[in-house]
């Protein structure tokens, strides 16, 4: 991190320095162009003055400059003297530019005494012919150097123009190196004006004669105000940059420490979220993750072992949960030793354990592990004189050819485990096709379920969610139920069938329409709905939801959608866009089953959830396990840091409710507060609470 910071600092300094240098160059260039314009103005002013001087002189001396009486010029003309400020040279020239008589510095010097360029004079005469009423001037070459001259045609005494072909002109001029020109330059702020025979570089402008010949250039001492300003600002800027780099360094170090702390906290939280706090084994989410990784390489056999403790409930009822927890920890330690490196052991919850076995002879090795589990539990545990005896029923299923899905392999192992339990317990059973006799029954259920969805045969029950602060109902969660004439079907069964048959979206839409229709009866209570993966992954789901809410007239801010982490894993970018679209609609989004996911903390930070719902698997041990209590407190603190509320689910005892309330949970839910029931029943309870609250206020 030090090297990137240093490189960033050097890059910033270079950028600032280059910017200052560029700015100084731009300012210098602006000054250069400004002075050039000033010099051009001086040239134009000199030309204008000399043209006016020629005209005025010709008018005042019209009588003595009669072109028909040139003999009078020698004695009667008002000639320029040595103190003349406007011009010091006067010449009478013919129409072809040839001098007839020339005066310089108050004395006659002969027609061509100072060598005025005839080509330049002829060019000025030609220009005068085109602008008869305007003073005419220009630059000419001479032995004295460049002259600025003015020209005016000499009129007859009567005022008539000269005869065609024989006009004469008055030419007056002054050298360009005169003191007057220099004084004007100094007054305009141009320092050290000089004249040279050739171009002097960028800080000069050319002086061109009337005939187009470059006579030289007028140069000046350049003003480098930009460079001077840069030199004056260099030290303050360097000081500011130094302070900026110091601040940047402090920020980098601070951020690095914060990120290190966050990484450590996240690592700890991720481990807590992916491991069972009681046994220290990987939890169900970790087991599913490991199984999915095993399926990433379909070239080898995969076997899954499910083990369920026989008699564990009786141990809890007889000796209490403390002994039950010690039994789980002891069993987990023994199983871990037996599995070793031959597989991945996990605690799925309660008294259920599972193992993933891969590679050659996976079925035989899994079967041998099952037998070792049964043998290990054949002896009783001695807990401070209390002899505790449990058994173990084990089911094994294998996928040798890679034809099954992870879910199907787990289901088969679970079926085999229940067969072992039903067959007398303390045994190991290997799945076979005969155990799958319910397949046809599931197909029949799928057909009946599709008919029930089409004919409005499903029901929506509501379970109360209470405020931890007031104990009153703050929301109701909608749960779909299917009650056939032959009896109710477990949601775990028919929802799994719906997912297999591709009906999840149909059922999810059905539930949303019912909830939106029922929402008006519940007043201002929040309506909570679980979202199926098929719905959440559908890009058109936000638009469809908006249409449902508008049709029913339900405000979007009264709806909360619960999603589980599994919805986010496969396509996280699409899931992020869906969450943003739902938030834009005004709907709240909650992360369900927090504490069971493999990386729930990472997803909680990545997605802007409004609420976090702690799973029953964490709640179940909160009143007796410090690790579970710490996990709940950490989850509450993390959620509050990210601006989310926390709901604890699966509460079945008053002690659990109180512990979770003390841990900082905002809402509580579970059978302790009420089982899911029909709308009319939950509405009666809401009305009773409102009446009781009204009586208290009265």
């Amino acid at each position: 991190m030090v090297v990137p910071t240093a490189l960033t600092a050097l890059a910033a300094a270079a950028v600032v320095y280059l910017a200052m240098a560029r700015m100084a160059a731009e300012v210098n260039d602006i000054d250069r162009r400004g002075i050039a314009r000033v010099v051009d103005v001086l040239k134009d002013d000199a030309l204008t003055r000399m043209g006016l001087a020629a005209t005025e002189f010709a008018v005042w001396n019209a009588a003595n400059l009669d072109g028909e009486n040139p003999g009078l010029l020698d004695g009667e003309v008002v000639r320029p003297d040595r103190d003349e400020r406007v011009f010091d040279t006067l010449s009478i020239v013919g129409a072809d530019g040839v001098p007839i008589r020339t005066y310089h510095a108050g004395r006659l010097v002969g027609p061509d005494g100072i060598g005025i360029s005839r080509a330049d004079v002829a060019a000025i005469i030609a220009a005068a012919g085109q602008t008869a009423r305007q003073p005419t001037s220009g630059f000419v070459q001479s032995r004295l150097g460049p002259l600025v001259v003015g020209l005016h045609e000499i009129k007859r005494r009567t005022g008539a123009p000269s005869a065609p072909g024989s006009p004469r002109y008055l030419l007056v001029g002054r050298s360009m190196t005169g003191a007057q020109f220099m004084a004007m330059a100094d007054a305009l702020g141009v320092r050290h004006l000089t004249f040279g025979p050739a171009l002097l570089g960028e800080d000069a402008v050319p002086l061109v004669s009337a005939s187009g010949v470059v006579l030289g250039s007028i140069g000046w001492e350049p003003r480098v105000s930009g460079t001077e300003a840069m030199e004056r600002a260099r030290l303050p800027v360097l000081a500011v940059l130094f302070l900026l780099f110091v601040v940047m360094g402090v920020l980098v170090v601070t951020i690095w420490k914060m990120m290190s702390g966050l990484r450590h906290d996240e690592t700890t939280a991720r481990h807590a979220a992916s491991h069972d706090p009681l046994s220290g084994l990987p939890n169900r989410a970790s087991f599913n993750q490991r199984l999915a990784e095993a399926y990433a390489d379909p070239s080898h056999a995969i076997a899954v072992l499910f083990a369920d403790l026989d008699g564990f409930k009786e141990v809890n009822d007889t000796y209490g949960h403390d002994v039950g927890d010690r039994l789980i920890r002891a069993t987990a330690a023994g199983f871990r030793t037996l599995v070793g490196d031959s597989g991945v052991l996990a605690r799925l919850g309660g008294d259920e354990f599972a193992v993933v076995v891969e590679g050659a002879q996976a079925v035989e090795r899994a079967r041998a592990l099952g037998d070792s589990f049964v043998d290990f539990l054949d002896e009783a545990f001695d807990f401070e004189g209390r002899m505790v005896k449990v058994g173990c029923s084990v089911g094994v299923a294998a996928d040798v050819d890679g034809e099954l899905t992870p879910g199907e392999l787990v289901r088969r192992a679970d079926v085999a485990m229940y067969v072992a339990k039903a067959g007398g317990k303390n045994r190991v059973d290997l799945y076979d096709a005969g155990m799958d006799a319910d397949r046809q029954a599931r197909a029949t259920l799928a057909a009946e379920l599709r008919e029930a969805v089409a004919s409005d045969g499903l029901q929506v029950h509501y379970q109360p969610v209470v405020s931890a602060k007031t104990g009153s109902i703050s929301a109701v969660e909608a749960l779909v139920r299917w009650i056939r004439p032959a009896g109710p079907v477990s949601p775990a069964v028919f929802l799994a069938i719906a997912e297999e048959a591709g009906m999840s979206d149909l059922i999810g839409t059905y539930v949303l329409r019912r909830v939106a229709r029922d929402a008006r009866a519940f007043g201002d209570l929040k309506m909570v709905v679980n979202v199926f993966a098929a719905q959440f992954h559908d890009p058109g789901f936000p638009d469809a939801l908006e249409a449902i809410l508008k049709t029913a007239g339900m405000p979007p801010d009264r709806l909360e959608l619960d999603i589980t982490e599994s919805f986010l894993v496969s396509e996280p970018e699409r899931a992020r866009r869906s969450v943003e679209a739902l938030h834009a609609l005004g709907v709240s989004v909650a992360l369900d089953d927090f504490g069971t996911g493999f990386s729930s903390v990472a997803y909680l930070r990545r997605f802007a959830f409004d609420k976090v719902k702690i799973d029953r698997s964490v709640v179940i041990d909160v009143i007796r396990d410090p690790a579970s209590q710490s996990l709940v407190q950490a989850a509450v603190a993390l959620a509050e840091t990210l601006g989310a509320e926390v709901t604890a689910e699966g509460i079945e005892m008053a002690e659990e409710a109180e512990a979770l309330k003390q841990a900082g949970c905002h809402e509580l839910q579970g059978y302790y507060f009420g089982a899911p029931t029909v709308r009319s029943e939950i509405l009666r309870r809401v009305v009773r609470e409102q009446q009781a609250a009204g009586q208290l206020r009265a």
Side-chain angles (χ1 to χ4, degrees), residues 404-592:
L404 304 178
T405 64
E408 176 61 18
L409 182 60
V410 168
R411 188 194 68 79
R412 291 186 177 189
D414 193 49
V415 168
M417 184 268 292
Y418 278 106
V419 169
K421 191 177 287 289
K425 302 180 180 180
N426 279 336
R427 52 183 285 179
V428 179
D429 275 86
L430 183 64
Y431 174 86
D432 60 45
M435 297 178 182
D436 212 13
D438 67 332
R439 185 178 298 274
Q440 184 59 42
R442 294 174 69 85
T444 302
L445 277 178
E448 293 182 4
L449 179 59
R450 191 177 298 276
E451 176 64 25
V453 174
S455 61
D456 200 22
L458 298 180
Q459 297 182 10
V460 175
H461 290 188
Y462 294 95
Q463 185 177 31
V465 180
V466 303
S467 168
K469 183 177 181 180
T470 65
S472 60
I473 297 177
S474 58
V476 290
E477 180 173 357
L479 301 168
V480 63
R481 296 292 184 261
W482 184 22
I483 302 177
R484 298 190 302 166
V489 182
S490 169
V493 174
F494 76 79
L495 291 180
I497 292 175
E499 185 173 2
E500 293 174 3
M503 291 186 288
S504 296
D505 190 34
L506 292 175
I507 295 178
T509 303
Y510 176 90
V511 173
L512 282 171
R513 286 200 176 104
R514 286 288 301 272
V515 169
R517 187 180 66 190
D518 294 346
R520 190 183 303 274
F522 285 94
D524 295 331
L525 291 182
K526 200 87 167 181
M527 309 297 288
V528 183
V529 179
N530 292 282
V531 181
F532 289 94
Q535 292 175 281
F536 192 70
H537 288 161
D538 180 7
F541 174 62
D543 293 335
L545 176 61
E546 183 178 13
I548 291 173
L549 296 177
K550 285 184 177 179
T551 300
M554 178 181 177
D557 58 0
R558 287 192 56 205
L559 179 63
E560 174 190 306
L561 298 181
D562 290 359
I563 60 176
T564 61
E565 181 187 322
S566 60
F567 297 176
L568 315 175
V569 174
S570 58
E571 298 181 74
E573 185 58 29
R574 178 184 292 184
R576 182 186 62 79
R577 291 195 297 267
S578 296
V579 171
E580 290 177 352
L582 292 172
H583 278 151
L585 184 60
V587 174
S588 301
V589 182
L591 177 63
D592 204 2

